[in-house]
Amino acid sequence: MSARSLRIRLLVTIAVVLVAVIASIGIYSSVAAKRQFDRFLLARNDEAAKLLQTRGLEAAPEAYARYGVRTIVVGTDGAVTSYPATDLAVTRHPDGITLTRGRERLVLRAHLRLPNGASVYVVPATLPGRRAFGGGLDRWLLIGLGVVTVGALVLLTLLLRRIFAPVEALTTSVRALAGGKLDARVAVRGDDEIGELARSFNAMAEALERNERARRHMVSDIAHELRTPLTNIRMQLEAAQDGVVAVDAALLASLTEDAEALARLVDDLQQLALAEAGALRLELEECNVRDLVTRAVAPHPVEVDVDETLIMRVDRARITQVVRILVNNALTHARSRVRITASAGEVLVSDDGEGVPAGHEERIFDRFHRADASRSRITGGSGLGLAIARELVALHGGTLRLENDPGRGATFIFTIPS
């Protein structure tokens, strides 16, 4: 694993912060514990001193037994008497005495003056062990903090591994997807941000795979649409060259029909590409909807039920094309009737045919999609009409949708915002 890995950098950063926090806690705990211990010793010392002041030197054994302190009496002649006996070095000075053992030192002032002038000092019995106490405290704190640090680092490593495992899986899948493996997916675990990221990746991969399939189908469909008229043209030309058929008006008319089919297909593809790219310019104007629809459907036998006062701000030529596409599609599938109705900002084109077969509703607006391929071939449709209509409506900021009633007909509704 690279030292520049996010996991390594995050682990090092958190570890440094963790060690700094634990070290700060340890130092503070050590200092606070030692200060508290000193306060404890001084409190016991004061209580022993009060006992001695109340009852005199005869209370020295009880002071030692109850509070763990020893009593040192320094006479006016400098003689030192200790209860119990002590091996501490005693040094007199004007402010009191200094007790010394090795590096340990303690300066005391007299707690009690005897009638004969002697001074009584109360010494904590734990004085010789204070350094040992401090050293032991520090040692155990270091051991405890070390154990806590190691445990925290182990838990942190496991946590980061758990967190970064799905990220690494996602990275692997992204590389696979970039390499052309469009079926790459990531296992989704949990509902957190990483789980949401995995779901988003899977949705993106599915969209790419779906678009790639659509692209391949489109290329295949375009080739298929071009092949039929081109094959007809080639065969008729070869027949004319071989003298099998005469070059007469009928042959020329057939060739012209196939050429026009090719030209329509190319025009439709170009218009669809421009519409999807948003490169078509709209010339918006206030249009009477009834007049627009009437002109679009003429001379087809279509029922028009549109208010004569209904106005819509649209590109007249584009919306006329949309209506024609929808009407032609409805006439192709209708049994006996095609009807157009409209209200504010909405136009409906309905027929009484079989409706769109189940399973085709979602793809009806796809390029080259045919719910009935054989019937579309007879009518000469390219399968681009509904896709073009949807894009032209979208250019106006509107939507085109299907309300399907299998067995009873279909209604295409496009809405243009005012």
Side-chain angles (χ1 to χ4, degrees), residues 234-283:
R234 186 185 65 185
M235 291 178 62
Q236 293 183 78
L237 288 175
E238 289 178 352
Q241 288 176 341
D242 294 341
V244 176
V245 297
V247 181
D248 53 13
L251 175 63
L252 294 178
S254 178
L255 291 174
T256 300
E257 182 179 355
D258 289 333
E260 289 176 349
L262 285 173
R264 284 195 301 272
L265 177 60
V266 172
D267 289 342
D268 286 347
L269 286 171
Q270 183 180 23
Q271 186 176 30
L272 181 59
L274 291 174
E276 290 180 340
L280 291 179
R281 188 178 63 180
L282 299 180
E283 297 181 0

Side-chain angles (χ1 to χ4, degrees), residues 121-386:
Y121 298 88
V122 178
V123 185
T126 52
L127 174 64
R130 189 186 184 288
R131 180 176 296 276
F133 168 80
L137 176 64
D138 292 340
R139 183 167 57 254
W140 284 108
L141 276 175
L142 287 175
I143 293 174
L145 294 178
V147 171
V148 171
T149 302
V150 173
L153 291 177
V154 170
L155 290 177
L156 178 62
T157 302
L158 295 177
L159 180 61
L160 290 179
R161 179 179 298 176
R162 183 177 180 82
I163 292 175
F164 279 93
V167 175
E168 292 174 351
L170 183 62
T171 301
T172 301
S173 297
V174 169
R175 289 173 179 167
L177 186 66
K181 191 176 171 55
L182 298 181
D183 60 345
R185 298 292 185 273
V186 179
V188 179
R189 299 185 181 91
D191 296 325
D192 55 7
E193 290 81 357
I194 295 179
E196 182 62 29
L197 180 61
R199 279 188 289 273
S200 299
F201 171 81
N202 289 341
M204 179 190 68
E206 289 172 3
L208 289 175
E209 188 175 17
R210 184 169 57 253
N211 291 339
E212 179 61 18
R213 284 198 303 267
R215 184 189 67 81
R216 292 176 181 175
H217 290 160
M218 184 185 71
V219 172
S220 176
D221 290 337
I222 292 175
H224 183 70
E225 294 293 335
L226 293 174
R227 185 180 298 113
T228 300
L230 284 175
T231 300
N232 289 339
I233 292 173
R234 186 185 65 185
M235 291 178 62
Q236 293 183 78
L237 288 175
E238 289 178 352
Q241 288 176 341
D242 294 341
V244 176
V245 297
V247 181
D248 53 13
L251 175 63
L252 294 178
S254 178
L255 291 174
T256 300
E257 182 179 355
D258 289 333
E260 289 176 349
L262 285 173
R264 284 195 301 272
L265 177 60
V266 172
D267 289 342
D268 286 347
L269 286 171
Q270 183 180 23
Q271 186 176 30
L272 181 59
L274 291 174
E276 290 180 340
L280 291 179
R281 188 178 63 180
L282 299 180
E283 297 181 0
L284 300 178
E285 58 180 308
E286 301 290 337
C287 298
N288 183 285
V289 178
R290 182 178 177 83
D291 179 63
L292 184 151
V293 170
T294 301
R295 290 176 181 273
V297 302
H300 301 298
V302 176
E303 297 180 19
V304 178
D305 184 11
V306 180
D307 193 314
E308 294 182 356
T309 62
L310 186 60
I311 302 297
M312 190 179 293
R313 182 173 177 78
V314 295
D315 185 307
R316 181 184 297 273
R318 304 298 182 193
I319 295 302
T320 298
Q321 183 180 2
V322 171
V323 174
R324 284 176 178 165
I325 290 172
L326 297 180
V327 168
N328 288 334
N329 180 76
L331 289 170
T332 301
H333 298 89
R335 293 191 182 96
S336 60
R337 182 171 66 94
V338 174
R339 186 166 182 262
I340 299 179
T341 59
S343 59
E346 189 174 75
V347 178
L348 296 82
V349 179
S350 58
D351 64 71
D352 60 352
E354 292 293 330
V356 178
H360 291 263
E361 293 91 346
E362 296 296 327
R363 299 186 56 202
I364 195 67
F365 296 105
D366 291 350
R367 290 169 288 190
F368 297 107
H369 179 74
R370 295 188 179 92
D372 186 347
S374 60
R375 188 172 187 180
S376 297
R377 182 66 60 202
I378 293 173
T379 59
S382 65
L384 293 173
L386 291 178

